[in-house]
Amino acid sequence: MNWIQQRWRERWKRWWSARHPPRDDQLLTQRNLYIVPTRVGAAFLLTQAVLLVASINDQLSLGYALTFLLCGAGLASMHTTHANLRGLRLALQPPEPGHADQDLPLAVRLHNPDRARFGVGLRLAEAENATLAWVDVPAEGHAELRLAWRAPARGLHELPLLRIETRFPLGLFVAWSYWRPASKQWVYPAAETPCPPLPTGSAIEGPPQAGSGQGDEDFHQLRGWRDGDRLRDVLWKREAQASDPNAPLWVVERGAALRGSQRWLEAAQTQGLETEKRWQRLTAWVLAADSHGQDWGLRLPGYELPPGQGAEQRRQALERLALV
């Protein structure tokens, strides 16, 4: 008996996967749309059955007319409910990374090539008491829905199963479809709060640049723009006089920055803490060092990120901490 159940379960999974393959762009068609009566719709159908039986027993012409009129309205409502979703295209916006102790945002764009759609809702399919996000999609237009979910742990996670549904126009039927996005979302470790002071004794002083004297804070040099540079260090006068609008921005790098320190953030500096709290502390230090605008590097077991700064440096460090 168990092997029969297992066989049917495997067939169900294959059928389900064929109808709902992972993708970031999904078109709702008759193949992946479903519709059933709601509780109100079930009561409506039961009422029609009672009216029909009463009309047959008493031979009431007006009873027949009322029964068939209401049945026609119910059939029209069923067709309208199904058509309210059919033809919509769902497009997932690139998911933004977040931290394990935060709600992670999901943005879905709805493309409507036809008439206006009303009362379209989206929610997490497998979450208990999930809240529906509702929107009306204009004719031949677009609309956007935003959801939030919380990952069970840090790491690179698959996105949750989503359910789109509608009960328009009378609420007698509910039409729905499931959507499995193919993208994954980065979940960084939660940052320790309040952030402890950056570790001491880990800074490596860089040698003075050629031509700079000790105490000469006015010495500077020009270099191209890098992620993380401050706007106030951009040489705006030179940019205003440039003839090529596509030329790179030039940044003034002053003597203090040239002789600045390179700070190492190391897993060894968090010894004595619980495993997860070690990565939370390092995450807080990464965010703090990045906000200070100085070069910093990261050392983890079997991995070393060379000193640097900017958005790319921060991204690499946080992704590594998410997987360590």
Side-chain angles (χ1 to χ4, degrees):
M1 196 67 182
N2 290 335
W3 69 270
I4 297 179
Q5 295 178 352
Q6 182 68 21
R7 184 177 179 181
W8 276 105
R9 190 176 296 112
E10 291 176 355
R11 292 185 62 182
W12 167 260
K13 289 182 178 179
R14 287 197 300 268
W15 177 85
W16 176 261
S17 300
R19 280 183 170 263
H20 301 277
R23 58 182 60 173
D24 290 337
D25 188 288
Q26 176 160 296
L27 177 65
L28 300 182
T29 64
Q30 291 183 341
R31 179 177 174 81
N32 52 28
L33 273 177
Y34 314 97
I35 184 169
V36 294
T38 62
R39 291 183 179 180
V40 175
F44 177 81
L45 294 176
L46 180 61
T47 302
Q48 301 315 301
V50 173
L51 282 175
L52 181 61
V53 171
S55 300
I56 293 174
N57 288 337
D58 296 335
Q59 293 296 311
L60 296 176
S61 299
L62 291 179
Y64 284 122
L66 178 61
T67 301
F68 295 147
L69 177 64
L70 293 178
C71 286
L75 291 174
S77 173
M78 180 179 64
H79 173 77
T80 303
T81 301
H82 191 269
N84 198 43
L85 289 184
R86 189 176 66 249
L88 276 180
R89 182 175 294 276
L90 311 177
L92 178 71
Q93 305 302 302
E96 301 176 359
H99 293 269
D101 61 341
Q102 299 174 349
D103 289 334
L104 305 173
L106 286 180
V108 177
R109 193 168 178 82
L110 281 66
H111 302 272
N112 179 20
D114 204 346
R115 64 190 179 281
R117 317 295 179 104
F118 302 97
V120 178
L122 186 70
R123 67 177 176 88
L124 304 179
E126 298 175 342
E128 296 182 2
N129 302 321
T131 303
L132 274 162
W134 297 98
V135 72
D136 295 333
V137 189
E140 299 181 358
H142 312 278
E144 188 171 288
L145 282 171
R146 290 187 173 273
L147 296 177
W149 72 290
R150 183 160 293 196
R154 56 185 171 86
L156 183 59
H157 288 272
E158 294 183 352
L159 296 179
L161 182 68
L162 302 178
R163 169 177 164 137
I164 185 169
E165 66 177 64
T166 183
R167 298 167 187 256
F168 179 83
L170 300 179
L172 301 180
F173 296 87
V174 54
W176 80 94
S177 180
Y178 290 109
W179 181 25
R180 291 194 297 157
S183 291
K184 297 183 179 181
Q185 192 168 21
W186 280 103
V187 183
Y188 303 145
E192 182 178 349
T193 54
C195 177
L198 288 171
T200 59
S202 59
I204 304 175
E205 294 294 336
Q209 300 292 324
S212 65
Q214 296 296 332
D216 182 13
E217 297 297 329
D218 294 331
F219 172 78
H220 64 274
Q221 69 179 16
L222 298 181
R223 61 169 174 80
W225 169 271
R226 293 199 301 253
D227 288 342
D229 287 336
R230 299 174 299 182
L231 291 177
R232 66 183 182 183
D233 290 335
V234 175
L235 196 60
W236 294 110
K237 291 184 179 180
R238 178 167 180 165
E239 297 303 320
Q241 298 172 359
S243 58
D244 184 5
N246 296 323
L249 295 176
W250 289 96
V251 175
V252 179
E253 193 166 24
R254 305 187 183 279
L258 294 176
R259 297 190 300 273
S261 62
Q262 295 178 346
R263 183 179 298 275
W264 283 102
L265 308 177
E266 306 180 52
Q269 297 160 344
T270 61
Q271 293 291 346
L273 297 176
E274 297 178 7
T275 302
E276 195 62 29
K277 291 187 178 298
R278 295 179 65 189
W279 317 133
Q280 294 178 3
R281 175 161 297 185
L282 281 170
T283 300
W285 282 346
V286 165
L287 298 176
D290 179 72
S291 64
H292 290 168
Q294 66 177 157
D295 286 350
W296 54 272
L298 179 66
R299 284 179 178 149
L300 298 173
Y303 175 79
E304 179 175 305
L305 178 65
Q309 58 179 289
E312 181 64 19
Q313 178 83 354
R314 180 179 66 249
R315 182 190 66 80
Q316 292 185 40
L318 292 176
E319 288 182 0
R320 192 65 190 188
L321 286 169
L323 297 176
V324 67

